[in-house]
Amino acid sequence: MQSREEYAQDLFVREDELLFAVRESITANGMPAISVPAELGKLLTLLVAMSGARNILEIGALGGYSGICLARGLTQGGRLTSLELHDKHADLARANLARAGFSHAVEYRIGDARASLAALIEEGARYDFFFIDADKENYPHYLDYALRLASPSAIIAADNVLLGDRVLDPDIRDASVEAMREFNRRLAQDDRLDAMLLPIRDGFAVARVK
Ligand SMILES: C[S@@+](CC[C@H](N)C(=O)[O-])C[C@H]1O[C@@H](n2cnc3c(N)ncnc32)[C@H](O)[C@@H]1O
């Protein structure tokens, strides 16, 4: 008998040739294989399309896998801004987004995401969809910035919110685990948000700004 995850995956998820090639390009360039899994990529496309988002902010680009999934959900004229620490990662992501036909819709900002986020606030930028998938210790800060940059009814999604189930073990108290606990607690308890944690893969959270 299949597991429930295998059943859902077999029936609903087909990683197309382009996304498969993007995954390969990431390892071929010596970068870590830490893109979102195919089912979460599909979920991102669906969430963007269902919410009608027009301006997406991604934090953590790697090689552009999730960027392509996000861009695929955008309506005509929609835009993706992606924040990435490393030039090498952003260069590959830019190339992969171009390969997917989205070069006109995407902008990469290189450097520490907190500095880029502060600059976006200065510029008066607004976003209606956020995808948080960078360094885990900074998730609570990324949530603060997202709330300051959010349009009404914006969606905030985040990957790895269970950190390999380490958030469940009270004896583990390292910085990234404590930060993720704080992030999850705030998503659950902040009056400005409606949120849910989906315990699939490494944990995927989705929230709506009221
Ligand atoms: C898990 S990967 C992103 C995967 C990507 N979202 C995907 O699914 O295709 C995390 C990325 O965040 C970047 N990153 C880590 N710390 C960062 C920081 N402080 N500011 C900006 N980007 C950062 C890493 O260089 C890496 O490319």
Side-chain angles (χ1 to χ4, degrees):
M1 194 168 85
Q2 286 184 309
S3 68
R4 58 176 64 188
E5 290 79 14
E6 287 162 349
Y7 177 78
Q9 175 93 14
D10 275 9
L11 199 55
F12 289 91
V13 185
R14 292 278 169 277
E15 188 169 68
D16 57 46
E17 271 176 36
L18 183 110
L19 286 179
F20 187 76
V22 167
R23 224 181 260 293
E24 286 200 325
S25 74
I26 289 167
T27 44
N29 278 277
M31 287 155 52
I34 51 172
S35 309
V36 288
E39 59 268 49
L40 294 186
K42 183 161 183 196
L43 182 59
L44 287 172
T45 305
L46 271 174
L47 287 172
V48 172
M50 289 190 300
S51 65
R54 297 185 57 81
N55 282 296
I56 303 175
L57 184 64
E58 174 183 63
I59 307 175
L62 191 66
Y65 188 103
S66 59
I68 292 171
C69 297
L70 291 163
R72 281 180 172 176
L74 278 171
T75 50
Q76 195 78 22
R79 293 200 57 80
L80 166 68
T81 301
S82 185
L83 312 183
E84 172 53 53
L85 184 60
H86 298 297
D87 280 309
K88 181 181 172 186
H89 293 191
D91 287 346
L92 182 63
R94 198 179 288 109
N96 280 329
L97 268 283
R99 195 168 166 184
F102 294 118
S103 47
H104 61 286
V106 63
E107 174 198 355
Y108 287 92
R109 293 202 174 201
I110 322 293
D112 183 71
R114 284 170 73 176
S116 301
L117 287 159
L120 289 169
I121 285 174
E122 283 294 306
E123 293 165 27
R126 280 276 175 267
Y127 298 93
D128 48 16
F129 197 106
F130 298 82
F131 179 48
I132 301 173
D133 192 22
D135 48 328
K136 308 311 164 192
E137 298 82 7
N138 277 316
Y139 270 39
H141 297 297
Y142 296 149
L143 179 58
D144 285 333
Y145 280 113
L147 283 164
R148 292 173 67 188
L149 288 162
S151 306
S153 302
I155 304 290
I156 302 172
D159 194 20
N160 308 115
V161 298
L162 293 176
L163 279 182
D165 287 348
R166 288 186 299 136
V167 297
L168 310 176
D169 182 344
D171 293 333
I172 301 180
R173 299 189 167 278
D174 65 59
S176 56
V177 171
E178 292 289 24
M180 197 60 81
R181 289 191 183 115
E182 183 190 337
F183 177 79
N184 290 335
R185 226 176 4 250
R186 288 185 44 199
L187 279 192
Q189 294 172 359
D190 192 313
D191 289 338
R192 294 167 292 180
L193 296 170
D194 274 328
M196 185 59 201
L197 191 164
L198 307 179
I200 53 175
R201 298 300 299 242
D202 196 24
F204 183 88
V206 62
R208 178 177 172 275
V209 181
K210 289 182 193 165

